[in-house]
Amino acid sequence: MDSASSATPSTTPQPTARHRRKVATAAALASAVEWYDYFVFGIAAALVLGHSFFPSGSQVAGVLAAFATFAVGFLARPIGGVIAGQLGDKRGRKPMLVLALTLMGLATTGIGLLPTYDTIGIAAPILLVTLRIVQGIAVGAQWGGAMLMATEYAPEGKRGLYGSLVQLGVPIGVVTANSVFLVAGAAVGDEAFASWGWRLPFFVGVLVLILAWYIHTRVEETPEFRAAERQLAAAEKQADTQRSPLRSILRHHLGTVLLAGGSFAVNTATFYILITGVLDYATRELDMQRTAVLTVSLLVSLTQLALIPAAAALSDRIGRLKVYTLGAIGLLVWAIPMFLLIDTASLVWLAVGTFVTSCFLSIMYGPQAALFAELFSAEMRYTGASLGYQISAVLGGGLAPFLMVLLLEASGTSMAVSGYIILLSVVALASIAVLAKRARRAAAEEAAAAAAPATRPQPAE
């Protein structure tokens, strides 16, 4: 397992505590607004996009088409991760983060302005899919940039905690997206909401452009990247070659990338099942009220604001993989009870089932940013960490709501969805076991190398 120290060379000036906090806050805000824009689409897909952009005689077919468009964004995320990773490892974390925010702001605002199928026909779903692809590329580029801005500025021993500030963007994005939809629905009424009110949450995307400008003008590049950039520039000058982070990853570290993706797919799948799949299932199949289900999702997401940094801070003390494994085991054990509680169609039991699941998601998500960053050295970290994360998004998150509808229709029982989560949990635990074995081997080799000089025969005096 590749590892990178959080310490920077002595020639690199150490940032002040105030500057660290400013950068961490900017990275967290970037993550929050980016994820807000991304999640707004998922909520709209569950509630209105099927009818507005994919009209058909079947309600299920419309929902499937909307969720398929939702999944397209995930398929585009590795593209954003690769492009931004290559450039981010060569040119810097900050420029790629600014570019990602700009793309997301433009795409999200564009979706809010799109005419529906009734207005422009087949062009409407084509444009919707195109803008969703741009959203996917943007979020694929954003995560690595925001995560590295935070973790590479972290003080010694607090990389997990600083990385979790970026991870908080997910629950903040969910809470904000649900809140805006609740307010929009209450303000305009059901008929107007279905007609035009659903567009209002997308216009918040304009704020992303303002944040992009702030980061571009007020935030400096990370110390670790500047140090790695100087070292690699000198090496390339001597060798007269140009490095390719992607080529290095694919040649020497592809196994690590795949293990990272496999370890996290269950988290992304379960998360999107909770915030998108369950919203559709509870309102369409269980006849629960949209406002009530959105409120439960909002309140459950609020609890993650405390759980994610707590899990990350614990990982700084006892190790990333120990905390990470606990979350994966929890998802495995709770997959069946969660849907048994949801199927009661009781708002209370829905809240209990999703809250416990959210706890296990938070336990995994808290240390994940620092864990993925530490799998790769600084000169290829953006590319490697982004690829691992976005592969997990494709394998888990993007297809999860779509597969949930298919599994429910094919089997007639939510236990099929539980089985899907259990399968991904087993994959996660197997991947974590291999990563842990590699970590132990790397630690043993490092200890042996450190002890080697002391064991060499001393020359006779």
Side-chain angles (χ1 to χ4, degrees):
M1 183 168 92
D2 300 312
S3 178
S5 172
S6 62
T8 57
S10 58
T11 56
T12 303
Q14 292 299 305
T16 64
R18 180 177 177 274
H19 191 63
R20 292 183 197 271
R21 288 193 295 269
K22 184 178 81 169
V23 172
T25 301
L29 286 173
S31 177
V33 296
E34 188 97 351
W35 285 116
Y36 165 84
D37 284 4
Y38 203 66
F39 295 146
V40 158
F41 190 99
I43 296 172
L47 297 177
V48 295
L49 293 186
H51 171 74
S52 299
F53 289 87
F54 304 96
S56 67
S58 167
Q59 186 180 16
V60 172
V63 171
L64 282 172
F67 280 165
T69 306
F70 180 68
V72 164
F74 286 83
L75 296 177
R77 282 171 60 169
I79 299 173
V82 168
I83 295 173
Q86 280 279 92
L87 295 174
D89 281 330
K90 285 186 173 184
R91 307 301 179 194
R93 310 344 185 172
K94 188 181 82 168
M96 294 303 100
L97 180 57
V98 171
L99 177 61
L101 289 169
T102 303
L103 286 176
M104 181 62 84
L106 293 174
T108 303
T109 305
I111 292 172
L113 296 171
L114 268 185
T116 63
Y117 186 92
D118 290 340
T119 304
I120 61 173
I122 192 64
I126 292 174
L127 289 172
L128 182 67
V129 170
T130 301
L131 289 173
R132 181 59 179 171
I133 290 172
V134 175
Q135 277 195 322
I137 292 172
V139 83
Q142 173 272 145
W143 181 81
M147 178 271 290
L148 293 178
M149 289 293 288
T151 57
E152 291 186 348
Y153 262 106
E156 186 70 27
K158 291 188 177 180
R159 179 172 266 174
L161 181 59
Y162 269 61
S164 73
L165 298 179
V166 173
Q167 307 294 70
L168 287 178
V170 170
I172 292 173
V174 173
V175 168
T176 310
N178 278 297
S179 298
V180 173
F181 265 97
L182 283 169
V183 171
V188 302
D190 289 346
E191 185 175 342
F193 178 82
S195 176
W196 58 268
W198 63 268
R199 298 178 182 276
L200 299 177
F202 286 90
F203 295 148
V204 179
V206 174
L207 298 177
V208 182
L209 301 175
I210 299 173
L211 182 61
W213 173 83
Y214 174 83
I215 292 175
H216 175 67
T217 57
R218 301 294 182 88
V219 176
E220 297 178 4
E221 189 54 76
T222 71
E224 284 195 34
F225 173 77
R226 294 199 303 267
E229 185 180 38
R230 286 194 297 269
Q231 294 170 358
L232 286 164
E236 287 176 359
K237 186 175 181 180
Q238 290 180 354
D240 195 27
T241 60
Q242 287 292 318
R243 67 189 178 99
S244 170
L246 179 61
R247 189 182 300 120
S248 297
I249 288 291
L250 295 179
R251 284 184 178 179
H252 307 296
H253 309 281
L254 181 59
T256 303
V257 169
L258 295 177
L259 287 170
S263 74
F264 201 63
V266 64
N267 191 287
T268 53
T270 308
F271 175 76
Y272 285 102
I273 285 172
L274 279 192
I275 69 163
T276 302
V278 169
L279 176 58
D280 166 66
Y281 177 61
T283 55
R284 183 170 55 86
E285 297 285 347
L286 302 180
D287 293 322
M288 300 180 73
Q289 291 296 314
R290 179 191 72 210
T291 301
V293 178
L294 280 172
T295 302
V296 167
S297 179
L298 186 154
L299 294 175
V300 167
S301 296
L302 281 173
T303 64
Q304 291 186 306
L305 297 178
L307 292 170
I308 288 175
L314 182 62
S315 78
D316 282 330
R317 297 180 60 186
I318 69 172
R320 317 278 182 229
L321 288 174
K322 290 181 181 178
V323 178
Y324 201 62
T325 302
L326 177 61
I329 292 172
L331 292 176
L332 172 68
V333 172
W334 189 248
I336 290 176
M338 175 181 72
F339 271 102
L340 291 177
L341 293 175
I342 292 172
D343 284 343
T344 64
S346 162
L347 202 61
V348 173
W349 290 121
L350 171 71
V352 172
T354 55
F355 168 71
V356 175
T357 307
S358 179
C359 290
F360 293 126
L361 290 174
S362 300
I363 290 171
M364 283 192 77
Y365 201 56
Q368 183 253 346
L371 173 63
F372 278 29
E374 290 166 353
L375 291 175
F376 305 96
S377 54
E379 69 274 7
M380 63 182 70
R381 186 174 291 153
Y382 202 139
T383 303
S386 291
L387 269 180
Y389 185 79
Q390 304 312 334
I391 285 174
S392 75
V394 172
L395 296 177
L399 295 175
F402 182 84
L403 288 177
M404 179 176 173
V405 175
L406 287 182
L407 289 170
L408 289 169
E409 288 297 308
S411 66
T413 173
S414 61
M415 291 299 99
V417 185
S418 296
Y420 171 56
I421 295 174
I422 290 171
L423 176 62
L424 289 178
S425 297
V426 172
V427 172
L429 289 170
S431 299
I432 292 169
V434 177
L435 287 174
K437 182 178 179 181
R438 288 186 173 192
R440 289 192 296 269
R441 184 170 65 240
E445 291 174 354
E446 188 175 320
T455 59
R456 290 174 185 166
Q458 298 296 316
E461 295 182 359

